[in-house]
Amino acid sequence: MLPSIFISHGSPMLMLRDNSTTRFFQNLPSTYKKPEFILVISAHWVTKNLKILYEESPSLIYDFYGFPKELYDLKYDAISSKEKSDEIALLFEQNGISIEKEINRGGYDHGVWSVLRFMYPDADVPVLQLSIPQTFTEEDYIKMGEILQPLRENTLIIGSGSLTHNLMDINWDENTKDVKDYSIKFHDFVTENLKIGNYKNLIEKAPFLRQNHPTLEHFIPLLVNIGSSKDKIGESANNVYMHGNLSMDSIIFKG
């Protein structure tokens, strides 16, 4: 069985870096068997209701602004699979959840391809993508992950977001050692509770939630990862901060 992994994808500038986090991304696939498919739930695709990207050869969406030209020149030529998308859609429909096949989105957002460029640089694994439905509750996101559990036999499930994500309070020095106390306390609460499978009420009880997540789209993919794990136990990896308050942790669910 393949793991389910929540990945903090960080700033788009990370794609131009060679540091401990990008090397962590590069090494991560060596810790499990190669998947036949990759399914990503990205913070950068939020919709009213649940959607699945339904294109055989999605292009890239450069959904960031004001960055160096080199970022907009980057490519990632992954293919998708309508057959696998149909399988995923049927899983949801069999569990009473409506899902729309999206044919007009334009491709993968950077929450998908920025990380996969490091993990699978040859783009030789088909990539599927699900949206984050605004109408879902915390419990619905957990259930969404539970529905996806059977896919882990051949599919790597990635939640792409950020364990902490307050862009209004960042330090523009990405390597600053002056890490915000509220980020550390939130990070430690989440990682320590997931280490023992105590995932319930993370949103209600985690300290400084709204300071770390003024909006929740970067945290929600983690809830899907939790649901996709049978034992709900997640191991924290890559305990690094950038910009003073952005945790670059990944949470790996093996069970």
Side-chain angles (χ1 to χ4, degrees), residues 163-164 181-209 212 219 222 234 241 251:
L163 195 57
T164 61
D181 185 62
Y182 67 79
S183 295
I184 294 173
K185 288 181 177 177
F186 177 84
H187 163 277
D188 290 352
F189 178 91
V190 172
T191 57
E192 287 169 10
N193 277 275
L194 289 179
K195 185 166 58 177
I196 57 174
N198 185 18
Y199 68 96
K200 294 184 178 179
N201 299 317
L202 280 183
I203 287 181
E204 284 80 5
K205 294 185 178 180
F208 305 105
L209 172 66
N212 285 282
F219 190 66
L222 175 60
Y241 288 86
I251 310 293

Side-chain angles (χ1 to χ4, degrees), residues 1-252:
M1 183 171 64
L2 286 156
S4 176
I5 306 176
F6 174 78
I7 292 178
S8 296
H9 57 246
S11 164
M13 286 298 294
L14 200 62
M15 288 185 272
L16 301 180
R17 299 290 184 256
D18 176 12
N19 58 27
S20 63
T21 294
T22 59
R23 290 190 291 273
F24 169 79
F25 291 154
Q26 290 167 342
N27 182 65
L28 190 54
S30 69
T31 63
Y32 51 82
K33 68 178 183 179
K34 188 172 183 178
E36 295 177 31
F37 302 93
I38 299 169
L39 173 62
V40 183
I41 301 93
S42 166
H44 294 278
W45 190 20
V46 179
T47 56
K48 181 178 179 181
N49 300 306
L50 181 61
K51 294 187 177 186
I52 188 165
L53 189 63
Y54 202 67
E55 303 177 32
E56 282 292 347
S57 300
S59 56
L60 300 187
I61 301 173
Y62 298 86
D63 51 338
F64 42 80
Y65 309 95
F67 288 93
K69 180 179 180 298
E70 295 95 310
L71 278 176
Y72 304 94
D73 292 336
L74 294 177
K75 304 297 180 186
Y76 191 72
D77 297 324
I79 62 169
S80 187
S81 167
K82 287 187 177 180
E83 181 179 0
K84 191 67 174 178
S85 296
D86 288 335
E87 177 187 338
I88 294 169
L90 181 60
L91 274 178
F92 283 105
E93 290 164 358
Q94 289 173 336
N95 284 274
I97 296 179
S98 298
I99 183 169
E100 179 182 341
K101 295 173 181 177
E102 177 58 68
I103 61 174
N104 295 314
R105 184 166 190 250
Y108 303 118
D109 61 71
H110 82 275
V112 178
W113 60 272
S114 65
V115 174
L116 293 182
R117 286 188 73 258
F118 292 106
M119 294 177 66
Y120 296 96
D122 294 332
D124 57 351
V125 181
V127 179
L128 299 305
Q129 183 175 5
L130 286 170
S131 71
I132 295 175
Q134 290 178 313
T135 52
F136 278 26
T137 64
E138 176 183 358
E139 292 76 18
D140 291 331
Y141 294 121
I142 298 289
K143 181 181 178 182
M144 182 175 165
E146 289 173 346
I147 291 169
L148 296 172
Q149 280 183 16
L151 297 177
R152 290 178 55 197
E153 291 301 319
N154 66 1
T155 302
L156 177 66
I157 299 175
I158 295 178
S160 179
S162 187
L163 195 57
T164 61
H165 193 261
N166 185 348
L167 300 185
M168 302 301 293
D169 194 26
I170 64 172
N171 186 323
W172 290 107
D173 176 3
E174 64 186 50
N175 297 313
T176 180
K177 302 301 181 184
D178 183 19
V179 179
K180 300 291 194 303
D181 185 62
Y182 67 79
S183 295
I184 294 173
K185 288 181 177 177
F186 177 84
H187 163 277
D188 290 352
F189 178 91
V190 172
T191 57
E192 287 169 10
N193 277 275
L194 289 179
K195 185 166 58 177
I196 57 174
N198 185 18
Y199 68 96
K200 294 184 178 179
N201 299 317
L202 280 183
I203 287 181
E204 284 80 5
K205 294 185 178 180
F208 305 105
L209 172 66
R210 288 298 181 176
Q211 278 182 272
N212 285 282
H213 291 278
T215 57
L216 291 176
E217 74 282 346
H218 278 75
F219 190 66
I220 286 170
L222 175 60
L223 302 180
V224 182
N225 287 116
I226 291 170
S228 69
S229 169
K230 292 181 179 179
D231 61 17
K232 307 294 191 282
I233 293 174
E235 300 176 9
S236 172
N238 193 45
N239 185 12
V240 173
Y241 288 86
M242 298 183 71
H243 294 289
N245 71 356
L246 295 184
S247 166
M248 298 307 300
D249 260 53
S250 291
I251 310 293
I252 302 171

